[in-house]
Amino acid sequence: MNTTLILAIITITLALIFYTIGVFSERRSGELNWKHVGLFALGLIFDTTGTTIMSGLVTAGNAANPLHQITGMLAILLMAFHLIWAIIVLLRKNEKAKATFHKFSLVVWLFWLIPYVIGMLIGMGV
């Protein structure tokens, strides 16, 4: 297996780990806090890094899957919006918004799983 591909897989998987921990620790704590924002940011950083590495592999001659590309870009944009909105919620100190933010986080996480799973299936040749 190509070293670049391994690096991309590791970074995308780190994104899954950090984002999952952020979303479910927020849900378990019952309130959004800065630790969760940090985990969301790490998820976004690793996802963007892994996606950038993967896109380099695609332009190196591999065929791109349009569904994977579209859902992947939408997921990154949604994660960025999620991160920005989380920061705004915390800065505004709106207790109700902090207590219900986990619902939005779960939706973003579920959407993020779509390109992740598509990428796994592509990698397995399914």
Side-chain angles (χ1 to χ4, degrees):
M1 190 181 299
N2 177 327
T3 307
T4 306
L5 179 59
I6 292 170
L7 180 61
I9 291 168
I10 290 169
T11 56
I12 297 281
T13 302
L14 285 170
L16 173 67
I17 291 166
F18 285 117
Y19 216 67
T20 301
I21 291 170
V23 168
F24 287 96
S25 67
E26 175 202 358
R27 187 174 181 84
R28 190 174 30 254
S29 75
E31 184 175 282
L32 176 67
N33 65 48
W34 288 109
K35 177 185 88 168
H36 304 127
V37 170
L39 290 165
F40 299 155
L42 285 171
L44 177 60
I45 290 166
F46 280 109
D47 190 37
T48 304
T49 301
T51 299
T52 302
I53 294 168
M54 287 281 189
S55 65
L57 293 171
V58 169
T59 57
N62 301 325
N65 179 301
L67 179 62
H68 186 235
Q69 287 180 314
I70 293 167
T71 58
M73 287 311 301
L74 288 174
I76 287 175
L77 292 172
L78 193 55
M79 288 171 76
F81 177 77
H82 177 246
L83 176 62
I84 292 165
W85 190 247
I87 292 168
I88 290 169
V89 165
L90 287 176
L91 291 175
R92 287 185 178 168
K93 299 180 181 178
N94 181 325
E95 295 305 315
K96 183 179 179 196
K98 285 169 45 177
T100 59
F101 193 81
H102 68 276
K103 295 175 185 177
F104 179 52
S105 296
L106 187 60
V107 170
V108 173
W109 179 80
L110 286 168
F111 186 85
W112 185 86
L113 286 178
I114 295 168
Y116 185 85
V117 170
I118 292 171
M120 280 191 339
L121 294 174
I122 290 169
M124 293 186 300
V126 174

